[in-house]
Amino acid sequence: MTELLDPTLLALGVVVAIGAMVQSTIGFGIAVVAAPFVVMVRPDLMPASLIVCVFFLPLLQLLGGAREIAWRHLRWALGARVLATPLGVALVALAPADAIALTVGVLILVTVAASVWAVDIRLDRRNSALAGAITGVSGTAASIGGPFFALVLRHERPELLRGTLAAFFLAGTVIGMTGLAIGRQVDREDLLAGLVWAPFVLVGHLLAGPVRRRIRPEAVRRGVLVFCVIASIGVISRALI
């Protein structure tokens, strides 16, 4: 019981709730918001504990009606993610956490810059598979995976974007946790922290309801880009600090 009431875990739960509210609104964001704080306060819980609590949010979204999903492109993204996940597990076991974070952050920033200034990234099989492969590595090694597939989906309707990302995250967390468990990178403390944060995920999801009903599609698209940049700055900063 004392572990469940750990003030540090509860304080991080508030950050998780804010991230859940963002993700329920624009399609991703819980790891973007929470991961930098978890790394600073309890780096020993990364990435497994955050992946555990992230599982509950897409489940809530899909049960709550976010069922508009681009199934064909989702299959390409998930297939590529499965193939790339072992590399993410290997990085967790072998590479310094700072190096992983720095690489992921720079890659997100380059992807955003390309989508804004040079390349019109659209929803197709190639881009879906590429985003899935990158997420297989970054989502498993650093718990940051949403920005890449979100950028591919950002021109789609908000309902399709949120629904497809929810299905992607739900399957992806199972893939990531399975890989980490096989690689023996998950322990009891990781699981406990993720379960402690689960109620905070529910609170954030409920708070996002009124926001979703009022937000315009163009605002969702801008939000995707903004939070991709925030994600990159956050992971680069935590690597350098």
Side-chain angles (χ1 to χ4, degrees), residues 72 74 81-82 90 135 169 201 226 231 239:
R72 184 160 60 98
L74 177 64
R81 181 167 186 169
V82 169
T135 300
F169 289 140
V201 171
V226 168

Side-chain angles (χ1 to χ4, degrees), residues 13 16 52-53 56-57 60 192-204:
V16 168
V52 169
C53 82
F56 295 101
L57 183 54
L60 289 170
L192 180 62
L195 293 175
V196 167
W197 293 335
F200 292 93
V201 171
L202 175 59
V203 171

Side-chain angles (χ1 to χ4, degrees), residues 155-174:
H155 292 294
E156 306 303 315
R157 298 183 309 279
E159 295 78 13
L160 184 68
L161 184 149
R162 285 192 290 260
T164 305
L165 283 178
F168 181 67
F169 289 140
L170 185 61
T173 53
V174 174

